[in-house]
Amino acid sequence: MAAKGNEVVLLMGPPGAGKGTQAARVAVARDLTKLSTGDMLRAHVGAGTELGRRAKAIMDAGELVPDDVIIGMVRSELEAADAIRFLLDGFPRTSAQAASLDALLAELGTSVTAAVAIQADDDELVRRMLKRAQEEGRSDDNEETIRNRMAVYHRQTKPLLDYYRGQGKLRLVDGIGSVDEVTERIRQVLP
Ligand code: AMP
Protein backbone atom coordinates (compact mmCIF):
# COMPACT_ATOMS: atom_id res chain seq x y z
CA MET A 1 0.00 0.00 0.00
CA ALA A 2 1.30 3.47 -0.81
CA ALA A 3 2.31 5.54 2.21
CA LYS A 4 -0.22 8.18 3.12
CA GLY A 5 0.89 11.79 2.83
CA ASN A 6 1.10 14.37 5.55
CA GLU A 7 -2.16 15.68 6.88
CA VAL A 8 -2.84 18.08 9.75
CA VAL A 9 -6.47 18.87 10.43
CA LEU A 10 -7.37 21.35 13.18
CA LEU A 11 -10.68 21.10 14.97
CA MET A 12 -11.67 24.44 16.44
CA GLY A 13 -14.76 25.96 17.98
CA PRO A 14 -16.18 27.25 21.23
CA PRO A 15 -16.24 25.10 24.37
CA GLY A 16 -19.09 22.61 24.30
CA ALA A 17 -19.37 22.55 20.49
CA GLY A 18 -18.54 18.84 20.38
CA LYS A 19 -14.89 19.09 19.34
CA GLY A 20 -13.79 16.06 21.37
CA THR A 21 -16.53 13.77 20.04
CA GLN A 22 -16.01 14.85 16.45
CA ALA A 23 -12.23 14.72 16.76
CA ALA A 24 -12.34 11.04 17.73
CA ARG A 25 -14.58 10.20 14.77
CA VAL A 26 -12.69 12.23 12.17
CA ALA A 27 -9.37 10.79 13.34
CA VAL A 28 -10.62 7.22 12.83
CA ALA A 29 -12.24 8.00 9.48
CA ARG A 30 -9.10 9.63 8.06
CA ASP A 31 -6.53 7.48 9.84
CA LEU A 32 -5.08 10.40 11.80
CA THR A 33 -3.62 10.43 15.30
CA LYS A 34 -5.83 12.52 17.55
CA LEU A 35 -3.93 14.95 19.72
CA SER A 36 -6.05 16.74 22.31
CA THR A 37 -4.19 19.23 24.48
CA GLY A 38 -7.13 19.17 26.94
CA ASP A 39 -6.84 15.36 27.26
CA MET A 40 -3.06 15.59 27.66
CA LEU A 41 -3.46 18.16 30.42
CA ARG A 42 -6.15 16.09 32.15
CA ALA A 43 -3.79 13.09 32.04
CA HIS A 44 -1.14 15.19 33.81
CA VAL A 45 -3.69 16.31 36.41
CA GLY A 46 -4.78 12.70 36.94
CA ALA A 47 -1.20 11.49 37.28
CA GLY A 48 -0.40 14.30 39.71
CA THR A 49 2.65 15.54 37.81
CA GLU A 50 4.17 18.95 38.52
CA LEU A 51 2.68 20.24 35.26
CA GLY A 52 -0.69 18.75 36.22
CA ARG A 53 -0.64 20.51 39.57
CA ARG A 54 0.08 23.85 37.91
CA ALA A 55 -2.46 23.30 35.12
CA LYS A 56 -5.37 22.24 37.35
CA ALA A 57 -5.97 25.64 38.92
CA ILE A 58 -5.83 27.32 35.52
CA MET A 59 -8.20 24.80 33.95
CA ASP A 60 -10.62 25.00 36.87
CA ALA A 61 -10.76 28.77 36.37
CA GLY A 62 -11.45 28.34 32.65
CA GLU A 63 -8.25 30.17 31.71
CA LEU A 64 -5.60 29.05 29.23
CA VAL A 65 -2.49 27.16 30.25
CA PRO A 66 0.65 29.16 29.21
CA ASP A 67 1.59 28.92 25.54
CA ASP A 68 5.12 27.61 26.15
CA VAL A 69 3.78 24.63 28.12
CA ILE A 70 1.23 23.75 25.44
CA ILE A 71 3.61 24.29 22.53
CA GLY A 72 6.24 22.12 24.22
CA MET A 73 3.73 19.28 24.65
CA VAL A 74 2.61 19.41 21.04
CA ARG A 75 6.14 19.78 19.73
CA SER A 76 7.35 16.61 21.44
CA GLU A 77 4.43 14.60 20.04
CA LEU A 78 4.91 15.88 16.50
CA GLU A 79 8.68 15.44 16.55
CA ALA A 80 8.37 11.86 17.82
CA ALA A 81 5.91 10.83 15.10
CA ASP A 82 6.86 8.63 12.15
CA ALA A 83 4.33 10.38 9.94
CA ILE A 84 2.77 13.80 10.29
CA ARG A 85 -0.84 12.71 10.20
CA PHE A 86 -2.65 14.44 13.04
CA LEU A 87 -6.02 15.66 14.08
CA LEU A 88 -5.46 18.49 16.56
CA ASP A 89 -8.31 18.99 19.02
CA GLY A 90 -8.31 22.20 21.04
CA PHE A 91 -4.98 23.43 19.72
CA PRO A 92 -4.06 26.09 18.68
CA ARG A 93 -6.05 28.39 20.95
CA THR A 94 -3.97 31.60 20.77
CA SER A 95 -2.19 33.41 17.97
CA ALA A 96 1.18 32.52 19.53
CA GLN A 97 0.22 28.84 19.39
CA ALA A 98 -0.91 29.15 15.76
CA ALA A 99 2.35 30.85 14.77
CA SER A 100 4.39 28.20 16.61
CA LEU A 101 2.43 25.42 14.96
CA ASP A 102 3.09 26.88 11.51
CA ALA A 103 6.80 27.20 12.30
CA LEU A 104 6.99 23.67 13.68
CA LEU A 105 5.19 22.17 10.70
CA ALA A 106 7.44 24.14 8.34
CA GLU A 107 10.48 22.65 10.12
CA LEU A 108 8.94 19.24 9.52
CA GLY A 109 8.39 20.09 5.85
CA THR A 110 4.63 20.36 5.96
CA SER A 111 1.73 22.68 6.83
CA VAL A 112 -1.85 22.76 8.14
CA THR A 113 -4.24 20.99 5.76
CA ALA A 114 -7.46 22.57 6.99
CA ALA A 115 -8.87 24.33 10.06
CA VAL A 116 -12.41 23.14 10.73
CA ALA A 117 -14.41 25.48 12.96
CA ILE A 118 -17.55 24.01 14.51
CA GLN A 119 -20.06 26.79 15.02
CA ALA A 120 -22.91 27.05 17.50
CA ASP A 121 -24.83 29.59 19.49
CA ASP A 122 -23.29 30.46 22.90
CA ASP A 123 -26.50 29.93 24.90
CA GLU A 124 -27.06 26.51 23.34
CA LEU A 125 -23.48 25.57 24.20
CA VAL A 126 -23.74 26.71 27.81
CA ARG A 127 -26.89 24.57 28.17
CA ARG A 128 -25.06 21.55 26.72
CA MET A 129 -22.06 22.00 28.99
CA LEU A 130 -24.17 22.28 32.13
CA LYS A 131 -25.81 18.99 31.14
CA ARG A 132 -22.41 17.39 30.52
CA ALA A 133 -21.20 18.70 33.89
CA GLN A 134 -23.92 16.67 35.60
CA GLU A 135 -23.17 13.57 33.53
CA GLU A 136 -19.36 13.57 33.64
CA GLY A 137 -18.54 15.65 36.68
CA ARG A 138 -15.67 17.55 35.03
CA SER A 139 -14.32 20.01 37.58
CA ASP A 140 -14.11 22.77 34.93
CA ASP A 141 -17.79 22.39 34.01
CA ASN A 142 -19.42 24.61 36.63
CA GLU A 143 -21.37 27.62 35.41
CA GLU A 144 -18.82 30.28 36.31
CA THR A 145 -15.98 28.38 34.63
CA ILE A 146 -18.12 27.69 31.58
CA ARG A 147 -18.92 31.40 31.16
CA ASN A 148 -15.24 32.26 31.52
CA ARG A 149 -14.17 29.59 29.02
CA MET A 150 -16.65 31.09 26.55
CA ALA A 151 -15.26 34.61 27.13
CA VAL A 152 -11.69 33.33 26.76
CA TYR A 153 -12.68 31.61 23.51
CA HIS A 154 -14.13 34.83 22.08
CA ARG A 155 -11.17 36.91 23.19
CA GLN A 156 -8.23 34.64 22.41
CA THR A 157 -9.23 31.80 20.10
CA LYS A 158 -11.92 33.16 17.78
CA PRO A 159 -9.50 35.65 16.17
CA LEU A 160 -7.62 32.59 14.88
CA LEU A 161 -10.49 31.90 12.49
CA ASP A 162 -9.43 35.01 10.56
CA TYR A 163 -5.84 33.80 10.59
CA TYR A 164 -6.83 30.54 8.88
CA ARG A 165 -9.36 32.31 6.65
CA GLY A 166 -6.45 34.44 5.43
CA GLN A 167 -4.54 31.28 4.59
CA GLY A 168 -7.57 29.92 2.70
CA LYS A 169 -7.75 27.01 5.15
CA LEU A 170 -10.82 27.81 7.20
CA ARG A 171 -13.82 25.47 6.88
CA LEU A 172 -16.96 26.47 8.82
CA VAL A 173 -19.30 23.72 9.95
CA ASP A 174 -22.70 24.08 11.61
CA GLY A 175 -22.44 22.32 14.98
CA ILE A 176 -26.18 22.13 15.67
CA GLY A 177 -27.63 18.74 14.82
CA SER A 178 -26.98 15.10 15.64
CA VAL A 179 -23.44 13.84 16.15
CA ASP A 180 -23.74 11.94 12.84
CA GLU A 181 -24.94 15.02 10.98
CA VAL A 182 -22.04 17.12 12.20
CA THR A 183 -19.53 14.34 11.37
CA GLU A 184 -20.94 14.21 7.83
CA ARG A 185 -20.67 18.00 7.47
CA ILE A 186 -17.02 17.82 8.51
CA ARG A 187 -16.38 15.01 6.02
CA GLN A 188 -17.81 17.16 3.26
CA VAL A 189 -15.55 20.16 3.90
CA LEU A 190 -12.31 18.17 4.07
CA PRO A 191 -10.28 17.51 0.94
P1 AMP B 1 -10.55 21.28 26.38
O1 AMP B 1 -10.80 19.88 26.85
O2 AMP B 1 -9.91 21.34 25.04
O3 AMP B 1 -11.78 22.14 26.47
O4 AMP B 1 -9.49 21.92 27.40
C1 AMP B 1 -9.75 22.03 28.78
C2 AMP B 1 -8.88 23.11 29.39
O5 AMP B 1 -7.50 22.78 29.20
C3 AMP B 1 -9.03 24.50 28.78
O6 AMP B 1 -10.10 25.21 29.35
C4 AMP B 1 -7.67 25.11 29.11
O7 AMP B 1 -7.60 25.50 30.47
C5 AMP B 1 -6.73 23.95 28.92
N1 AMP B 1 -6.26 23.85 27.51
C6 AMP B 1 -6.53 22.86 26.60
N2 AMP B 1 -5.94 23.11 25.43
C7 AMP B 1 -5.27 24.28 25.57
C8 AMP B 1 -4.49 25.08 24.71
N3 AMP B 1 -4.28 24.74 23.42
N4 AMP B 1 -3.96 26.23 25.22
C9 AMP B 1 -4.16 26.59 26.50
N5 AMP B 1 -4.90 25.89 27.36
C10 AMP B 1 -5.47 24.74 26.92
Side-chain angles (χ1 to χ4, degrees), residues 15 19 36-39 41-42 55 58-60 62-67 70 89-94 97 132 138 140 149:
K19 285 190 300 290
S36 158
T37 45
D39 285 350
L41 291 168
R42 279 184 287 276
I58 299 172
M59 295 166 77
D60 284 350
E63 295 291 332
L64 295 182
V65 171
D67 286 332
I70 299 288
D89 162 20
F91 173 89
R93 259 174 154 101
T94 64
Q97 291 179 20
R132 184 173 76 183
R138 261 176 63 161
D140 60 351
R149 289 170 68 205

Side-chain angles (χ1 to χ4, degrees), residues 30 38 42 55 63 65 99 105 114 133 144 173-174 187:
R30 300 181 72 89
R42 279 184 287 276
E63 295 291 332
V65 171
L105 292 175
E144 197 186 336
V173 165
D174 177 4
R187 198 187 62 77

Side-chain angles (χ1 to χ4, degrees), residues 75-86:
R75 170 180 281 275
S76 48
E77 293 288 331
L78 262 55
E79 285 179 346
D82 293 331
I84 304 298
R85 294 188 54 79
F86 284 95

